[in-house]
Amino acid sequence: MTGRFPSQGFDDQASGPGAASHGDGPDPSGEGRPKRSHRATKSEIPAAREVPDADTGTAPGEVLPEGLARAVEDFAEHLRLERGLSEHTVRGYTGDVTAALRHLASRPTARRSADTDGRDVTLADLDLAALRSWLAAGGVEGPASRGAAGRRPARRTTVARRAAAARAFTAWAARTGRAATDPGARLASPRAHRRLPAVLRADQAAAALDNAAAGAAEHHPVALRDHLLLELLYATGIRVSELCGLDVDDVDDGRRTLRVLGKGAKERTVVYGGPAAAALDAWRADGRPHLAVAGSPPALLLGARGGRLDPRIARTVVHDAAQSVPGAPDIAPHGLRHSAATHLLEGGADLRSVQELLGHASPATTQLYTHVTADRLRAVHDSAHPRA
């Protein structure tokens, strides 16, 4: 058994004029890493009028009044430049806000009020009743048409996310003088259920990494990269976006540390052990030089055509690694992050250290992993308590 995953040497090897790039082609500028500060231009801000809204009962593509559309664009710029949020988060926030404003513009009461004054619907028409009405209208998921069969209640996490986006928008609008009041301050939302994440057992994680090491023993560049990818994700618990954002000079070999750029453009230092160090040496010696091309960025991990590794390829590698272990759950890179945190806590690491390693802003987020180790707590109790 070679241990090679389906993605190694096949899915990631497309080349030629008709090949899909998967986003990992060489960067002509040589600057594949995101800037730590970036001034977004208007062309980079997704037009508010074009944000689809398939799950709130509002017709997709409905055009917002110009003032509301401009407010969404300014809000997106605020999220990028002042709060330093990722593009994924910005899209999520602006998508929810656009859906709320479309619902506002479609409400008969708001239209009558605007028509009376001879104007379009504005943020002045956004009140608590409109926000509650929007959450209620979007409280089901399925086909966008109202009353369609097969729709089901929206998950509590979805409703909570929409309410959080609305509160962030109305607070920003009030703070910047675009609205006289902040109706979102009184908008309640259900507490989201925090489901326990799927994780690998320690023996399953070891088996997945052993399989990757067996594939890397063939010294194929992609196999060497995939082995390093898995070792770093499991050793450090970093996010897949953080892994793909690493540059060569972010590695400190002497201290076995990585400089990671996390959420909100916050830097932190994470550590890795001997197996990851060995995989790193093998990749830099026999893997990266064979994938690098003239226009390659300074990325630590490269795609098959020499560009910065695309997170989608990394997700495929992790899925394939999990599937190579009989009985292991199908996990994504975040599942490997969950596994790393769980195994650290089971091994005796304190919660504060794990919080620092994972880059959580609040210890409440890290505490989620303490529930995953309930079985270990029960075993300790059974073996040590006199009345177990």
Side-chain angles (χ1 to χ4, degrees), residues 222-300:
V222 172
L224 290 170
R225 182 204 65 196
D226 291 353
H227 180 215
L228 174 60
L229 182 156
L230 294 167
E231 288 283 3
L232 288 181
L233 284 176
Y234 182 61
T236 64
I238 60 178
R239 302 174 179 91
V240 65
S241 59
E242 296 169 343
L243 176 75
C244 294
L246 289 173
D247 283 344
V248 173
D249 60 3
D250 288 328
V251 181
D252 186 333
D253 293 291
R255 297 191 301 163
R256 285 186 182 172
T257 61
L258 301 175
R259 184 176 68 242
V260 176
L261 185 64
K263 287 186 175 181
K266 294 179 180 178
E267 283 192 3
R268 71 182 190 279
T269 299
V270 299
V271 298
Y272 59 89
L280 181 60
D281 290 340
W283 159 247
R284 289 184 298 193
D286 301 322
R288 194 181 188 281
H290 293 284
L291 295 184
V293 296
S296 291
L300 177 63

Side-chain angles (χ1 to χ4, degrees), residues 62 254 387:
E62 182 177 327
R387 298 183 68 85

Side-chain angles (χ1 to χ4, degrees), residues 78-90 93 264-265:
H78 156 74
L79 295 176
R80 286 192 188 92
L81 303 184
E82 297 182 32
R83 295 185 56 179
L85 301 183
S86 69
E87 282 302 315
H88 178 77
T89 304
V90 171
Y93 270 61

Side-chain angles (χ1 to χ4, degrees), residues 118-182:
R119 59 175 175 80
D120 285 333
V121 176
T122 67
L123 289 182
D125 300 300
L126 185 62
D127 56 17
L128 184 60
L131 291 174
R132 286 173 173 168
S133 173
W134 166 62
L135 286 182
V140 286
E141 294 180 336
S145 58
R146 294 184 186 276
R151 302 194 78 191
R152 62 188 185 278
R155 292 177 298 177
R156 292 165 65 97
T157 51
T158 301
V159 178
R161 186 208 70 213
R162 292 171 182 159
R167 284 193 294 267
F169 176 72
T170 58
W172 166 82
R175 187 171 61 252
T176 57
R178 290 171 172 82
T181 60
D182 178 10

